[in-house]
Amino acid sequence: MSGPSSLEETVSSFLETIPEGASSSEKEMPSLFLEFSQLLFDNPEHNSEKILISDLGGFELDEFLNFYLEDMFPDDAKIREKGKVFLKKFRKFLDKKALLKKEQEEEWKEFFKENEIR
């Protein structure tokens, strides 16, 4: 991939790494993250602009894990845990592909620490 990676392309690549027999929530969570990001960055004036991995910092992760998931799935007591598992795996994937910028890595590390994601 040349230039900065779009979130959509990256999530698609990540989905390809999920084993066929994985639980539905494991496959659903990346799509929810993409949907959340599109809502968060929705700008009617610039709807052709892609969301980049570099756009995602600690604030966006916090909004996704601590607000969006719980608002969308109030009856799922384990939704935050599922979100944490996804974010941990997604970060490993991003690290492996070296897609996070140095400053972004620090923000993600702080977010993981604050939310006890190990």
Side-chain angles (χ1 to χ4, degrees), residues 31-114:
S31 300
L32 287 172
F33 187 64
L34 186 58
E35 181 182 297
F36 159 77
S37 299
Q38 289 167 336
L39 289 171
L40 188 65
F41 291 101
D42 185 29
N43 186 344
E45 296 169 20
H46 304 292
N47 61 0
S48 64
E49 285 186 26
K50 290 184 174 181
I51 302 165
L52 305 177
I53 287 297
S54 58
D55 293 332
L56 301 173
F59 171 77
E60 290 78 13
L61 298 177
D62 186 58
E63 289 290 309
F64 174 70
L65 183 65
N66 297 312
F67 298 100
Y68 181 76
L69 289 178
E70 290 188 2
D71 287 349
M72 293 297 288
F73 301 95
D75 299 332
D76 187 345
K78 296 186 183 288
I79 195 68
R80 283 190 80 245
E81 285 308 310
K82 292 174 190 173
K84 285 181 178 185
V85 168
F86 158 69
L87 289 172
K88 182 178 176 179
K89 289 180 180 181
F90 191 55
R91 181 176 173 197
K92 275 186 181 177
F93 174 80
L94 295 175
D95 287 346
K96 189 176 175 184
K97 301 273 186 192
L99 294 175
L100 294 176
K101 294 178 179 179
K102 194 80 172 147
E103 179 182 300
Q104 202 177 8
E105 281 181 22
E106 291 304 314
E107 275 191 49
W108 281 53
K109 193 181 291 184
E110 185 63 32
F111 167 80
F112 274 58
K113 187 176 172 185
E114 288 172 4

